[in-house]
Amino acid sequence: IGCTDTVTMPVTVEVYKSPQLSIAAPDSSCIYSTVDFKGAEINNVNLLSWHWDFGNGSTVSSQNSSASYKAAAIFNVMLSAIDGHGCVDSVLRKINVIALPVVNAGNDTIICSRDIITLHPSGAAVYNWSTNSSLSCTDCANPSAHPPFSTTYYLKGTDVFGCVALDTLQVEVKQSVRLSVQKLDSLCVGKSIQLNASGAESYQWLPAESLSNLNVPNPVASPPVTTTYTLVGSNYTGCAADTALVTLKVFPLPQFNIVDTAVSVNLGTSYKMNTTGSPDIVRWLWVPPVSLSCNNCPSPVLQTIGDIVYKATASTAVGCTTSDYITVHTLCNGLNLFIPNTFSPNNDGNNDWFFPRGKGEFNVRSFSVFNKLGQLVYQKNNLSVNNERDGWNGNYYGKPAPTDVYFYSIEIICSNAHTFTMKGDISLIR
């Protein structure tokens, strides 16, 4: 036991050159930038396929490709390839992804139209401003800015790694104040008028007395005497303000009075409206104008027609007015009615009829005549006064009534709807 034997046979083993890969790429890149990756094989073998793993969750099957990164970190990039003989190689490359600089163009600001400011950005090594004629330079860190109107400035900031970030700066320009004030020159004492101004953002009126609001462009003014108001208008604290003056001349009201505030006047009679007034009165107006001798005079004469209230307004040359009132109560009591005590119906054309007479607007509802025995010898309804043909001609049942004393009853309706009855006696003479 322990026997051995050896035999030698020729065997051919073919050995292939393995692929050797390399990656051409930058050592670092900025976040969100596109990074180009190139793969190479240095052993001159024919490769069938390539495969990239960029370390950010994306893969590509090509020799050259690109990728971008959304986070700042060190990423492992792996390239692998396989040749026609199944030989495989892989290579690893690290890339440092750098965060973008925190570029700040500066705080938004408000300036006056004549101001010049210097911009103070931060967060970058190199600054470039978008072209703007109101900047003293665009490739400098701290340009001077003199914008004629509200302007937005655009800034590109680059750090030492070449990473770029953008920011903007808003400069609001407050223009010079140019107040415009409505010119109002006069009003009557006790009246109000609204002031109107424009051209500013804030307003301050003085003096405070007699103004509804000191900080609005259109306060209501009620000055008791002639007053000059000063208005200061501004657009922004520190900017030059503008000043305007408004003078309101206050005129007095006329002194005007109707002597009697209430009167009672018999129907059909006249009454003169007595008034007093100051010498500055140039116009009068009475309303309603009915039954007046004039409605544009100081003391019209009234012809009474019924109960009525008159308003009289006196005006000065500048339009200031004062009004007063008078109540007229019209009396309908028989004093304006005339009833004769005798008549002679003998057809001589003189006092042949017995009928009611009077002044003013009234009607007779009923007119009755009785003899001494109480017998009705004449009656008529709804007749007018001052019309003899509506009266009694002295006949009874078509024959002349005897000479005697007769009694009458007359029911009167006045224009103010008041009614009354008049009774008396009449002597018939033949």
Side-chain angles (χ1 to χ4, degrees):
I1 301 173
C3 298
T4 63
D5 191 11
T6 300
V7 62
T8 300
M9 295 181 63
V11 176
T12 301
V13 177
E14 188 173 357
V15 178
Y16 300 101
K17 186 183 294 186
S18 297
Q20 186 174 351
L21 304 178
S22 66
I23 298 175
D27 294 328
S28 62
S29 180
C30 302
I31 190 173
Y32 304 118
S33 296
T34 299
V35 184
D36 293 325
F37 295 93
K38 294 183 179 181
E41 198 285 316
I42 60 177
N43 280 341
N44 295 318
V45 298
N46 294 321
L47 298 178
L48 294 178
S49 63
W50 302 79
H51 180 76
W52 291 93
D53 185 344
F54 297 113
N56 61 354
S58 62
T59 60
V60 174
S61 296
S62 62
Q63 182 177 354
N64 302 315
S65 188
S66 60
S68 63
Y69 296 87
K70 299 180 180 180
I74 296 176
F75 291 87
N76 293 319
V77 179
M78 178 172 287
L79 172 64
S80 59
I82 184 171
D83 63 9
H85 302 288
C87 297
V88 178
D89 188 25
S90 62
V91 62
L92 182 67
R93 177 71 180 270
K94 295 182 181 294
I95 181 168
N96 183 18
V97 178
I98 303 169
L100 299 182
V102 182
V103 174
N104 183 6
N107 295 328
D108 293 344
T109 187
I110 301 174
I111 65 172
C112 303
S113 59
R114 66 179 182 277
D115 291 345
I116 299 175
I117 60 171
T118 300
L119 306 184
H120 296 280
S122 62
V126 177
Y127 300 93
N128 295 99
W129 298 88
S130 295
T131 301
N132 192 298
S133 60
S134 64
L135 292 176
S136 61
C137 58
T138 57
D139 56 354
C140 56
N142 305 112
S144 296
H146 185 197
F149 43 79
S150 297
T151 301
T152 299
Y153 294 103
Y154 298 89
L155 173 66
K156 180 177 75 172
T158 306
D159 63 11
V160 295
F161 303 104
C163 296
V164 174
L166 306 177
D167 196 22
T168 60
L169 169 65
Q170 175 70 35
V171 178
E172 183 179 354
V173 178
K174 296 294 184 179
Q175 301 298 328
S176 298
V177 178
R178 292 187 178 180
L179 282 175
S180 175
V181 181
Q182 179 181 347
K183 298 300 181 182
L184 303 168
D185 52 9
S186 65
L187 73 160
C188 302
V189 64
K191 302 298 182 180
S192 299
I193 194 169
Q194 189 169 40
L195 306 178
N196 285 284
S198 60
E201 291 181 354
S202 64
Y203 300 86
Q204 178 68 44
W205 293 88
L206 292 172
E209 296 79 9
S210 72
L211 287 177
S212 62
N213 193 315
L214 305 182
N215 305 114
V216 295
N218 54 348
V220 175
S222 307
V225 295
T226 297
T227 303
T228 297
Y229 295 99
T230 300
L231 171 62
V232 178
S234 61
N235 282 347
Y236 182 67
T237 302
C239 293
D242 191 16
T243 302
L245 299 177
V246 179
T247 298
L248 295 181
K249 188 172 183 180
V250 179
F251 292 97
L253 300 180
Q255 300 300 312
F256 177 72
N257 178 58
I258 302 176
V259 175
D260 296 315
T261 59
V263 293
S264 295
V265 183
N266 288 321
L267 182 67
T269 62
S270 61
Y271 173 79
K272 184 179 181 180
M273 306 286 200
N274 294 315
T275 63
T276 61
S278 53
D280 57 348
I281 297 175
V282 296
R283 289 183 298 275
W284 296 264
L285 180 65
W286 293 78
V287 290
V290 295
S291 299
L292 297 177
S293 61
C294 58
N295 73 325
N296 57 356
C297 57
S299 298
V301 176
L302 164 69
Q303 295 296 326
T304 56
I305 59 170
D307 295 344
I308 192 169
V309 176
Y310 289 99
K311 175 185 177 182
T313 301
S315 305
T316 64
V318 295
C320 296
T321 62
T322 299
S323 297
D324 200 6
Y325 297 83
I326 181 172
T327 299
V328 178
H329 179 63
T330 301
L331 299 178
C332 186
N333 53 15
L335 296 180
N336 56 324
L337 187 66
F338 170 69
I339 305 295
N341 56 10
T342 62
F343 81 115
S344 56
N346 53 12
N347 296 320
D348 63 356
N350 183 28
N351 200 24
D352 290 328
W353 294 78
F354 172 41
F355 59 94
R357 310 169 193 185
K359 297 179 180 179
E361 295 186 11
F362 56 91
N363 292 309
V364 178
R365 175 180 290 177
S366 65
F367 177 32
S368 303
V369 181
F370 304 87
N371 61 21
K372 289 182 178 180
L373 299 178
Q375 296 173 324
L376 181 67
V377 298
Y378 174 79
Q379 185 179 45
K380 190 167 186 177
N381 297 327
N382 299 321
L383 60 149
S384 58
V385 297
N386 302 317
N387 185 359
E388 66 177 20
R389 297 300 175 179
D390 279 341
W392 183 36
N393 63 0
N395 290 336
Y396 179 52
Y397 283 110
K399 296 180 179 182
T403 298
D404 204 346
V405 175
Y406 294 84
F407 302 93
Y408 64 83
S409 176
I410 302 176
E411 187 179 13
I412 302 296
I413 303 176
C414 297
S415 58
N416 60 359
H418 179 69
T419 63
F420 70 95
T421 302
M422 291 189 65
K423 295 182 179 182
D425 58 76
I426 179 75
S427 295
L428 188 154
I429 302 174
R430 293 194 181 274

